[in-house]
Amino acid sequence: AQSVTQPDIHITVSEGASLELRCNYSYGATPYLFWYVQSPGQGLQLLLKYFSGDTLVQGIKGFEAEFKRSQSSFNLRKPSVHWSDAAEYFCAVGDRKGATNKLIFGTGTLLAVQP
Amino acid sequence: DAGITQSPRHKVTETGTPVTLRCHQTENHRYMYWYRQDPGHGLRLIHYSYGVKDTDKGEVSDGYSVSRSKTEDFLLTLESATSSQTSVYFCAISKTSGGSDTGELFFGEGSRLTVL
């Protein structure tokens, strides 16, 4: 069965600085990978997804993520963080496209942005 | 926005009482899900539905039941609430393409339940 780990519970960055949030997964075949963002008091919103093809995927709000099979990672990056990016970020892994009922979520990384 | 509304948004109840949470969608999506969110656990799937009257269990289904009598409504029921069911509950839908589940989830805003 697949699993996903987000090693960082909290991260604080300065506004304008670059950001990288880590996500490691465990799965024998090619996983389906997602990043979601949750603003306070809101539901989760899909930032980006990887199913196949180019390992660098672009998402909304200026985010990107890179699938690295050799490192079992799918880290989320942003070159310049804005105060509005403060939120909780969740990585998720699935075993095949469309098997949403099998999606496994990480425990989340809470991002704080300081002026 | 996938037109998902959850009700109630907040509820406080006592141990042993029944509770029903409602998820309503306006876009006729086939697949609907109920998750719970707890600190340190991320989101965990409780039950899901793949059509009217078609439901199945998720990872943490004990103590919960669901019903889907029409496409737009997916109800989550706690027959006898316990303190361990204090949580934030999220409804979600996944969109289809060519009849197949795309795997992309769209979430409601959540229902915060406190069981005293």
Side-chain angles (χ1 to χ4, degrees):
Chain A
Q2 67 267 30
S3 65
V4 59
T5 301
Q6 294 181 247
D8 304 305
I9 298 174
H10 294 99
I11 284 183
T12 300
V13 299
S14 299
E15 192 168 15
S18 63
L19 171 70
E20 183 169 27
L21 302 182
R22 296 184 291 165
C23 173
N24 296 102
Y25 67 89
S26 173
Y27 184 61
T30 299
Y32 292 95
L33 297 159
F34 305 81
W35 274 102
Y36 285 86
V37 60
Q38 184 181 30
S39 298
Q42 302 294 313
L44 281 71
Q45 179 185 22
L46 179 66
L47 280 177
L48 47 79
K49 63 184 184 291
Y50 172 78
F51 285 165
S52 64
D54 192 347
T55 56
L56 183 64
V57 294
Q58 304 295 322
I60 62 172
K61 306 186 181 190
F63 286 91
E64 66 178 27
E66 187 170 12
F67 170 57
K68 293 185 177 180
R69 184 189 302 275
S70 61
Q71 299 177 19
S72 298
S73 69
F74 188 57
N75 294 349
L76 183 71
R77 301 193 295 247
K78 188 170 185 178
S80 177
V81 170
H82 188 263
W83 64 266
S84 59
D85 293 324
E88 191 158 21
Y89 292 80
F90 293 90
C91 181
V93 61
D95 63 356
R96 61 181 172 84
K97 187 177 181 179
T100 310
N101 57 307
K102 302 296 185 186
L103 204 61
I104 302 296
F105 284 85
T107 52
T109 297
L110 186 62
L111 174 66
V113 180
Q114 59 186 18
Chain B
D1 185 5
I4 302 169
T5 55
Q6 294 185 228
S7 59
R9 294 290 313 280
H10 301 271
K11 186 172 182 66
V12 179
T13 191
E14 294 188 349
T15 298
T17 60
V19 176
T20 295
L21 305 180
R22 179 182 183 237
C23 178
H24 179 78
Q25 56 135 333
T26 59
E27 298 182 355
N28 291 321
H29 295 294
R30 176 182 174 188
Y31 297 95
M32 298 184 75
Y33 308 82
W34 276 108
Y35 287 89
R36 60 177 290 173
Q37 183 178 33
D38 304 288
H41 290 277
L43 272 79
R44 292 179 291 175
L45 183 64
I46 305 171
H47 281 279
Y48 64 100
S49 170
Y50 42 95
V52 173
K53 292 184 168 46
D54 290 324
T55 65
D56 207 345
K57 297 178 180 180
E59 177 189 1
V60 290
S61 60
D62 288 349
Y64 301 94
S65 63
V66 291
S67 66
R68 192 166 178 202
S69 59
K70 41 186 180 175
T71 301
E72 58 266 36
D73 289 325
F74 192 31
L75 304 181
L76 177 70
T77 297
L78 292 65
E79 300 291 349
S80 178
T82 68
S83 59
S84 65
Q85 294 176 311
T86 293
S87 186
V88 181
Y89 292 86
F90 285 97
C91 175
I93 63 94
S94 58
K95 295 187 176 180
T96 54
S97 176
S100 298
D101 181 2
T102 61
E104 299 178 24
L105 287 167
F106 295 82
F107 288 84
E109 295 190 334
S111 296
R112 182 175 295 275
L113 175 66
T114 302
V115 183
L116 302 176

